[in-house]
Amino acid sequence: MEFDDIRTIEDLQKLPYTYKTEIRESLSAEPPFGKHRAAPMADIIQMQASSGTTGSPSYVALTEADTEMWHEMTARCFFANGVRPGDMVLHAFSLAKGFVGGIPVMQGLQYMGTIDVPVGADGGAERLLRACADTRPRCIVGAPNFVLHLAEKAPEVLGCKASELGVEQVIVGGEPGGGIPAIRAKIEAAWGAKCTEMLGGTDLGVTYWAECDAQSGMHMVNMDYIITELLDPESGEIIPWEKGAEGEMIYTALGRQASPVVRFRSGDYIEVIDTECSCGRTGPKIRCTGRTDDMLIVRGANVFPSAINSVITEMVPDTNGVMRIVADFKGHTTQGALTVIVERGPGRDAADDDALKKKIEQRLRDALVFKADVHLVAADTFEKPGAAKVAFVLREYPELP
């Protein structure tokens, strides 16, 4: 099939899917940007890193035109979310360089003419709340469970309720939750503000789905930059965007120069809420209800169990290279630290566990940008993991050391 033969969505569907594993293999074969790099190195001006399924991040290259596209897509989403030029916006995502919720969000906000208050979740709840009291931002952007945590800490840190800080708009993303009625109601009551959500990912941009003031689902506001298909994972068929439809989103980038993807399987499982909206925007409105893979979301950061295992394996002989994650929370998302049980290396003295625990937790934080609560157990506690990634995850572990 020739490129010129692709003129319709139906023509596009004759092409195979792109899987995350293929991108990882491409990056490994020709680092740093992979065999699928489509722009000269001399034209690349920015590197972005997404969470990899192994210990190494997945690097995305951007040309000047690509960065402009990212800024435009991000700005459109924030505008739909209720942010306006001139607003002060408290940045409550992590400001880690490799996280699209960090510097790329800041760049998009600046592009649309707002003032980003660059504290970030990494600065801790106290610094964020004090910055909120100092600057009185109209908007806050962050992960839903974290902005709830901030509100709960406000009386302790500031001596007042979060609802007294003047915030009018809370924009959440990075994990499911903002569209769940109970969580949204908690956020709005705690902050005395309207809550809208957004959705995106590093392979295509920063954010490309956004909820309007109607608060009845997220709109694709970047249809000129991204083609989106809906896949029924059970039948393997592409299905229409009709109210009530459910499936995995498939993305094709338009206009991307450096790191384009074609028919990329996102892993985001969504429900189509409606196909009309009182705001006048056209196209389907969606809610993301979960993931089709084993990715976990820890306080807004995407974490693959296989990536954690890669880090633990690199720490042999301190460890035995074997670990298990206790995912004792609903779905794929947790606001707390992720419990990781790690086997000590053979002959390792349990008396040294405190030092090893700290060492592993710091290594995981440095490599994968998430907080772990590590528990150490004797070598050969678990069977050696097989090829199935799910072997790394436990839903419960009754006797944590």
Side-chain angles (χ1 to χ4, degrees):
M1 188 174 187
E2 300 293 332
F3 180 81
D4 288 343
D5 294 333
I6 305 171
R7 297 184 178 276
T8 67
I9 297 294
E10 290 71 27
D11 292 336
L12 185 67
Q13 290 169 4
K14 297 173 185 176
L15 298 177
Y17 297 119
T18 299
Y19 294 86
K20 194 74 175 179
T21 52
E22 292 177 307
I23 293 176
R24 185 174 77 246
E25 289 164 2
S26 172
L27 291 165
S28 177
E30 198 169 299
F33 298 122
K35 298 175 73 174
H36 60 288
R37 172 175 59 85
M41 285 295 289
D43 291 346
I44 294 169
I45 65 165
Q46 185 169 329
M47 171 190 285
Q48 193 58 45
S50 68
S51 52
T53 51
T54 68
S56 295
S58 206
Y59 297 108
V60 176
L62 301 169
T63 65
E64 185 174 357
D66 291 338
T67 58
E68 184 84 4
M69 182 188 299
W70 273 36
H71 301 343
E72 175 68 23
M73 288 197 293
T74 305
R76 289 183 190 179
C77 285
F78 278 121
F79 192 89
N81 283 142
V83 181
R84 294 294 179 265
D87 282 347
M88 191 91 69
V89 183
L90 182 69
H91 200 133
F93 281 125
S94 168
L95 272 170
K97 276 189 175 182
F99 176 47
V100 289
I103 290 174
V105 159
M106 182 179 72
Q107 290 171 325
L109 287 167
Q110 290 176 339
Y111 172 87
M112 74 177 295
T114 71
I115 302 170
D116 181 277
V117 183
V119 179
D122 340 63
E126 183 169 337
R127 283 194 64 204
L128 273 164
L129 286 166
R130 295 203 181 280
C132 192
D134 290 342
T135 62
R136 307 284 294 187
R138 196 181 80 80
C139 308
I140 291 179
V141 55
N145 285 295
F146 187 66
V147 298
L148 262 179
H149 172 66
L150 285 178
E152 291 166 358
K153 295 283 288 184
E156 174 189 335
V157 174
L158 301 175
C160 69
K161 295 180 180 178
S163 57
E164 298 173 42
L165 295 172
V167 174
E168 297 177 12
Q169 198 83 25
V170 179
I171 299 99
V172 296
E175 64 187 28
I180 298 172
I183 295 177
R184 184 197 297 275
K186 281 186 178 181
I187 292 171
E188 293 191 332
W191 285 97
K194 178 170 280 192
C195 175
T196 53
E197 68 170 342
M198 59 184 178
L199 174 68
T202 311
D203 294 287
L204 275 296
V206 181
T207 176
Y208 19 96
W209 293 89
E211 187 174 38
C212 67
D213 281 348
Q215 295 178 292
S216 55
M218 292 179 283
H219 299 272
M220 167 53 84
V221 295
N222 292 292
M223 288 184 280
D224 48 339
Y225 294 130
I226 299 171
I227 295 173
T228 310
E229 303 168 76
L230 188 60
L231 170 70
D232 181 343
E234 292 187 6
S235 69
E237 299 294 322
I238 297 298
I239 57 177
W241 292 92
E242 297 174 345
K243 185 175 180 178
E246 297 183 14
E248 179 185 356
M249 288 192 291
I250 310 298
Y251 292 125
T252 297
L254 297 175
R256 277 291 289 277
Q257 295 180 341
S259 294
V261 289
V262 176
R263 306 202 76 205
F264 173 69
R265 291 193 60 161
S266 69
D268 288 326
Y269 193 85
I270 63 98
E271 176 187 1
V272 180
I273 303 300
D274 210 336
T275 55
E276 299 178 349
C277 188
S278 58
C279 75
R281 291 180 176 88
T282 58
K285 294 189 294 186
I286 68 161
R287 289 267 184 247
C288 184
T289 56
R291 296 283 305 175
T292 60
D293 57 19
D294 64 350
M295 187 182 80
L296 301 171
I297 305 171
V298 185
R299 297 182 67 177
N302 296 342
V303 180
F304 286 91
S306 50
I308 298 174
N309 189 70
S310 179
V311 173
I312 300 304
T313 301
E314 289 170 1
M315 297 184 71
V316 172
D318 285 339
T319 76
N320 202 30
V322 177
M323 63 90 209
R324 293 291 187 274
I325 297 162
V326 182
D328 55 350
F329 44 85
K330 186 177 180 180
H332 289 246
T333 301
T334 179
Q335 176 55 24
L338 188 64
T339 300
V340 182
I341 307 172
V342 180
E343 290 187 6
R344 302 181 197 94
R348 179 92 194 191
D349 192 338
D352 298 329
D353 277 0
D354 285 347
L356 181 56
K357 168 184 167 71
K358 291 177 182 177
K359 182 178 179 181
I360 296 171
E361 288 174 350
Q362 187 62 51
R363 187 75 66 86
L364 289 170
R365 189 175 184 88
D366 291 345
L368 302 176
V369 199
F370 82 97
K371 184 177 180 181
D373 179 19
V374 170
H375 297 260
L376 292 156
V377 294
D380 301 320
T381 295
F382 300 112
E383 293 181 11
K384 296 292 183 183
K389 294 179 185 178
V390 73
F392 298 135
V393 180
L394 305 171
R395 279 293 163 184
E396 59 182 18
Y397 191 80
E399 297 179 3
L400 282 174

